[in-house]
Amino acid sequence: MSPEESTQSVSRSEPGRRPFVMPDAGQRARLRRKRNLVDRFYKYLIGAGGISVIVALLLIFVFLFIEVLPMLRPATIERGSEYDAPGVDRAAVEVAADAPGTFHIASERYLDVAARFSNDGQVVFFDPRDGSLIARETLELPEGVQIVSSAIAEPRTRLVALGLSDGTAIVVRHEYEVTYPDNQRRVEPSLSFPLEREPVRIDEEGQPLEQLAIQEGTRGGIVLAAYTEDGRLLSVRYDAARQGLLATAVTFERTAVELPRPAERVRALLVSITLSDLLVGDFDGRLSYYNIRNFDNPVLQDTRQVVDDGATVSAMDYLLGTVSVIIGGSDGSVTQWMLVRDEATNERYLAKVRSFRGHDGPVVSIRPEYSRKGFVTASEDGTVGIHFSTSSRTLVHRKVSDVPLEYAILAPRANGLLVASSDDRIQFFEVTNDHPQVSMNALWGKVHYEGYAETQYRWESSSATDEFEPKFSVIPLTVGTLKAALFAMMFAIPIAILGAIYSAYFMTPKLRGVVKPCIEIMEALPTVILGFLAGLWLAPFVESHLPAVVLLAVLVPGSIILASLVWMALPRAVHQRIPDGWEVAILVPVVLAAGWFCVFVSPYVEVAYFNGDMRQWLTDQGIAYDQRNAMIVGMAMGFAVIPTIFSISEDAIFSVPRHLSQGSLALGATRWQTMVGVVLLTASPGLFSAVMIGFGRAVGETMIVVMASGNSPVVDWSLFQGLRTLSANIAVEMSETDRGGTHYRILFLTALLLFGLTFVVNTVAEVVRQRLRKKYSSL
């Protein structure tokens, strides 16, 4: 044999075929290097893909957390400047025994101009950041008449009233005209008189107005309430009436009434923006509620002790919207009260809502925010506090002066704080308080919202009115998410897993080759189509055929069992005509017939047992029924989840080693006993993985819930009530939010919660799947 022949092995070949030649050592080395290179490339490619998935998940988490992080930052105030109160002659003050104090400060929206009202009738406009004087006006008082009281209306009205010693009052509004000469913003402050320039008569007897309140109604009209020196409680209402051909002349119709005399000396008065409620705080620490809706016939409806015995009501003011009132006591206490309605009598009464961190000295000033349910308090001990009602938080509590304070007010955008002290000094503070609504209790606990008699979980993020109190409890959304997923799984698990058992173990391979791909193709159906059909077709159909739904749940399984019993009773010759694994084909017409029968008899059952209307019958039993409810969501979402659970479960059951089931059959067990005792136990990790992945899919589903649930965020596990899930809420409300606002960031918080929930569920399912593969890899 030649050397060339010795290095090659030639296989036997058939005539006409090229003989196969084994590669030599060099070729084998090159092939090995190529194979190693390809293996290494795909190894690193797959590793890079896995790492990129992890990095993508981490980036999503980081992005969500960055959007949520600003809500966790505490509120702060930074001293910007301190100066003598504008308009005060410091030399005259040092000589005089009693200098005029500050009873009100207000600012323009962007803190370009502020106004200071003093007890001597001076109105000074100044720059709040440095105290520089901009303009000064003096209110004209009748000769020999002094200012003895003052009142401030709801902040957005910019209305101020001064009670005089002759029983009259001056009503004035501070206004700010904004112009843009040469593209520069310019603010021109001025005063206007909404009633008359001259003082208006409150008390016909001319007694000094010891206490005063003023309010402008949302639908027009101005009400002034006053407590006179001789102990009478008066109320005067002015309603505008337009006259003339073009209705340009405005006159006011005056209506005056004397209310029931208070039992104790009055300390403060408040009127609501509806002009129907008058609150009276007295020196005995009590708060009284007068119903003045029928202005000519006011009624004292309720009186409550609002501070501890021995203390007095030292200050009080409404929050935005004049639904809740904040009470400050001479003992430094700060509490919130509001009017709630008694369902039994339909009468309103005063109820305490919550308490806030108090002061060590009497509270002398309480002023609300312009656009939120926050407020600021000032005390004689030199401390100020910034609080927020809904979250029950005292955001800032700080000592700012060594002398007693007179007044404190937040800027309209809550980004500045002006504090006046008894030594006629004013301090300006920069305020950072972007998200006061957020707290653990506000997000996860029951909250006593305005207008409700009890604490509740509620999600109501917006309304048509500015004074609306946002409600950001995520409990209704979390419950809605779990409720939708639970009902979907209750619908999907029995159908998917029982179908997988039959398909993998009992069905003929030919039929399985058709059924399994068809069910898996169902997973490609767009969920928006399923939601559309569920909301516009399934929900109305179920509502009009409620008895059919109940009958379907009973008669369809019953008909299947009955058909099975009939099949077992048939002769063996009949059984032999149907090949093994095709028995399911017999059940198809049985199920269809049972479904048709349920729909057909539904109207007759409804007439016979539910007075012709099962929905109304449920309502009469105290069970509310919404057309788009959790049952509709469960059906539609369950239909979407079935392919996922079925496919994974079927693969898990089909992959059980045949020798295990064959060994069980060889020992005398029936096919059903083998399935229950051997196959299901072996495939149980895979079944668990299928259920968990299906649950994760249901938790994150959006479009079906948006279109079929009614989107009502309620904490109710009823099958017939609507719901709102975390994902649907994000889809519905994200476009309506103000970027960077509290609502915007809370939606990102719910997204983070949803991300964490689905991540945990899917991770657990994947861990179970990996353990399953490892457990059976050696079989």
Side-chain angles (χ1 to χ4, degrees):
M1 183 179 293
S2 63
E4 291 80 3
E5 293 175 342
S6 64
T7 59
Q8 297 181 355
S9 297
V10 180
S11 63
R12 296 182 180 182
S13 60
E14 298 179 2
R17 289 191 178 185
R18 183 179 178 180
F20 175 72
V21 180
M22 294 292 292
D24 58 17
Q27 290 175 326
R28 289 196 297 272
R30 286 194 297 272
L31 290 173
R32 190 179 299 110
R33 287 195 297 271
K34 182 179 179 181
R35 187 182 305 113
N36 291 337
L37 181 62
V38 172
D39 289 346
R40 193 176 299 111
F41 171 76
Y42 282 106
K43 174 184 176 181
Y44 290 125
L45 180 63
I46 294 172
I51 292 174
S52 64
V53 171
I54 296 175
V55 171
L57 291 175
L58 289 176
L59 289 177
I60 293 173
F61 174 81
V62 170
F63 171 72
L64 294 176
F65 185 75
I66 288 175
E67 293 294 339
V68 172
L69 184 61
M71 291 196 306
L72 307 179
R73 295 171 182 160
T76 60
I77 60 173
E78 297 292 337
R79 190 190 303 272
S81 58
E82 183 176 0
Y83 44 83
D84 289 332
V88 173
D89 186 346
R90 178 57 60 182
V93 168
E94 293 177 355
V95 175
D98 187 15
T102 301
F103 73 82
H104 181 50
I105 299 177
S107 71
E108 181 266 340
R109 178 175 177 80
Y110 293 99
L111 285 171
D112 291 330
V113 180
R116 172 181 176 265
F117 290 77
S118 60
N119 295 329
D120 60 353
Q122 296 287 326
V123 182
V124 178
F125 296 100
F126 64 99
D127 187 333
R129 300 183 186 277
D130 58 18
S132 57
L133 186 65
I134 296 176
R136 182 202 301 262
E137 291 199 31
T138 302
L139 299 176
E140 297 180 3
L141 303 178
E143 186 176 353
V145 174
Q146 298 179 343
I147 298 174
V148 295
S149 60
S150 60
I152 302 100
E154 207 266 349
R156 294 170 297 177
T157 66
R158 302 190 303 275
L159 206 58
V160 179
L162 296 91
L164 306 182
S165 58
D166 64 348
T168 60
I170 297 176
V171 179
V172 62
R173 194 194 309 272
H174 51 100
E175 298 182 338
Y176 307 92
E177 181 182 0
V178 180
T179 58
Y180 293 89
D182 300 327
N183 291 326
Q184 297 294 321
R185 188 172 187 271
R186 182 177 179 181
V187 181
E188 292 289 342
S190 63
L191 296 179
S192 65
F193 298 87
L195 297 179
E196 300 175 10
R197 192 173 188 89
E198 299 297 323
V200 294
R201 174 62 58 182
I202 304 297
D203 182 18
E204 298 295 341
E205 298 181 11
Q207 291 289 322
L209 305 181
E210 191 171 290
Q211 297 295 336
L212 187 65
I214 185 171
Q215 194 62 262
E216 184 174 19
T218 53
R219 297 183 179 180
I222 295 176
V223 168
L224 291 101
Y227 178 75
T228 62
E229 192 176 56
D230 59 355
R232 289 175 295 119
L233 187 60
L234 308 174
S235 184
V236 178
R237 177 166 181 156
Y238 290 89
D239 292 300
R242 295 187 177 273
Q243 299 177 349
L245 182 62
L246 300 178
T248 55
V250 178
T251 60
F252 290 93
E253 297 178 358
R254 179 180 182 274
T255 305
V257 64
E258 182 173 342
L259 287 78
R261 186 182 291 264
E264 298 292 335
R265 185 181 170 202
V266 171
R267 180 63 180 83
L269 299 170
L270 291 175
V271 179
S272 67
I273 59 174
T274 60
L275 306 184
S276 60
D277 306 322
L278 172 63
L279 299 181
V280 179
D282 61 32
F283 279 87
D284 200 30
R286 293 181 300 184
L287 182 66
S288 299
Y289 161 50
Y290 290 82
N291 186 339
I292 58 173
R293 183 178 298 276
N294 184 357
F295 196 78
D296 294 328
N297 186 28
V299 178
L300 174 61
Q301 286 198 193
D302 193 21
T303 299
R304 303 278 173 163
Q305 189 73 31
V306 293
V307 295
D308 293 338
D309 292 339
T312 65
V313 175
S314 58
M316 69 181 196
D317 206 343
Y318 273 121
L319 290 180
L320 176 71
T322 68
V323 176
S324 295
V325 62
I326 304 299
I327 305 295
S330 59
D331 56 355
S333 62
V334 180
T335 57
Q336 179 182 351
W337 293 73
M338 69 180 179
L339 292 169
V340 296
R341 191 173 299 278
D342 188 338
E343 295 182 358
T345 63
N346 201 33
E347 298 290 342
R348 294 195 298 170
Y349 63 92
L350 291 165
K352 183 179 179 180
V353 180
R354 55 181 63 91
S355 299
F356 300 90
R357 180 178 175 181
H359 299 267
D360 294 332
V363 178
V364 296
S365 171
I366 298 174
R367 288 303 293 161
E369 288 191 29
Y370 281 64
S371 58
R372 300 184 303 195
K373 298 294 181 177
F375 62 98
V376 60
T377 58
S379 172
E380 283 188 2
D381 65 358
T383 60
V384 294
I386 298 177
H387 317 266
F388 201 85
S389 65
T390 309
S391 57
S392 302
R393 296 175 63 192
T394 295
L395 305 161
V396 174
H397 188 89
R398 177 172 168 180
K399 188 175 182 62
V400 298
S401 176
D402 293 328
V403 300
L405 301 181
E406 288 185 334
Y407 200 78
I409 190 168
L410 289 164
R413 298 174 65 196
N415 59 344
L417 172 66
L418 288 165
V419 180
S421 54
S422 59
D423 59 352
D424 284 316
R425 300 278 291 176
I426 292 179
Q427 301 178 64
F428 172 74
F429 295 86
E430 298 282 355
V431 178
T432 303
N433 184 23
D434 295 330
H435 308 289
Q437 302 98 321
V438 179
S439 69
M440 287 297 295
N441 183 67
L443 294 175
W444 298 102
K446 285 188 174 183
V447 178
H448 202 157
Y449 297 107
E450 289 184 345
Y452 294 92
E454 298 178 352
T455 57
Q456 295 187 4
Y457 298 115
R458 297 191 71 87
W459 175 277
E460 295 176 16
S461 58
S462 60
S463 177
T465 60
D466 294 333
E467 58 267 15
F468 170 74
E469 180 181 25
K471 304 167 182 64
F472 290 125
S473 174
V474 298
I475 292 294
L477 307 179
T478 305
V479 170
T481 301
L482 298 177
K483 178 181 175 181
L486 175 63
F487 290 153
M489 300 304 287
M490 290 174 62
F491 181 84
I493 287 176
I495 297 175
I497 291 184
L498 292 177
I501 291 173
Y502 188 85
S503 173
Y505 196 73
F506 297 101
M507 188 177 287
T508 178
K510 184 177 180 180
L511 186 58
R512 177 178 178 269
V514 176
V515 171
K516 190 173 188 294
C518 289
I519 295 179
E520 290 177 342
I521 288 174
M522 286 168 51
E523 195 165 10
L525 289 174
T527 56
V528 66
I529 301 300
L530 296 178
F532 178 81
L533 293 175
L536 297 184
W537 172 75
L538 181 61
F541 178 83
V542 170
E543 182 184 24
S544 59
H545 295 81
L546 278 174
V549 177
V550 179
L551 292 174
L552 281 169
V554 177
L555 293 185
V556 170
S559 63
I560 293 175
I561 295 174
L562 181 61
S564 302
L565 294 175
V566 172
W567 172 258
M568 293 173 60
L570 292 176
R572 183 177 297 274
V574 178
H575 290 188
Q576 291 175 351
R577 294 183 181 181
I578 306 298
D580 288 343
W582 285 89
E583 296 87 348
V584 68
I586 301 175
L587 292 178
V588 173
V590 173
V591 172
L592 292 177
W596 174 85
F597 176 77
C598 292
V599 175
F600 176 76
V601 302
S602 175
Y604 303 100
V605 172
E606 198 165 24
V607 171
Y609 297 99
F610 303 105
N611 300 323
D613 190 342
M614 186 173 177
R615 176 176 179 176
Q616 184 60 45
W617 182 86
L618 289 172
T619 303
D620 295 339
Q621 307 305 312
I623 303 174
Y625 183 90
D626 296 336
Q627 184 186 79
R628 300 184 183 186
N629 51 47
M631 180 172 61
I632 303 300
V633 172
M635 292 179 182
M637 194 185 298
F639 185 83
V641 170
I642 282 175
T644 301
I645 302 176
F646 172 85
S647 180
I648 299 173
S649 300
E650 209 267 356
D651 289 340
I653 295 171
F654 192 78
S655 63
V656 173
R658 288 294 179 185
H659 66 267
L660 296 179
S661 57
Q662 290 171 356
S664 174
L665 294 171
L667 293 174
T670 64
R671 295 179 67 186
W672 180 250
Q673 289 172 333
T674 299
M675 167 58 64
V676 174
V678 177
V679 177
L680 286 183
L681 292 179
T682 306
S684 58
L687 299 178
F688 174 77
S689 178
V691 171
M692 294 295 285
I693 291 177
F695 180 77
R697 165 77 188 277
V699 166
E701 177 56 46
T702 302
M703 292 311 300
I704 291 177
V705 184
V706 168
M707 304 181 75
S709 68
N711 285 309
S712 51
V714 295
V715 182
D716 191 335
W717 289 95
S718 170
L719 191 64
F720 305 123
Q721 285 282 355
L723 54 89
R724 181 182 288 192
T725 64
L726 292 166
S727 57
N729 188 66
I730 295 170
V732 169
E733 298 193 3
M734 182 57 77
S735 61
E736 302 175 358
T737 62
D738 179 19
R739 180 176 177 84
T742 300
H743 184 198
Y744 174 86
R745 300 202 183 279
I746 289 179
L747 290 182
F748 271 93
L749 177 63
T750 60
L752 184 61
L753 176 64
L754 181 63
F755 176 80
L757 180 60
T758 54
F759 180 78
V760 169
V761 170
N762 290 330
T763 300
V764 171
E766 186 61 25
V767 168
V768 173
R769 178 184 291 183
Q770 293 298 333
R771 289 185 178 181
L772 173 65
R773 291 178 178 176
K774 182 178 180 181
K775 181 176 182 179
Y776 292 107
S777 60
S778 60
L779 295 179

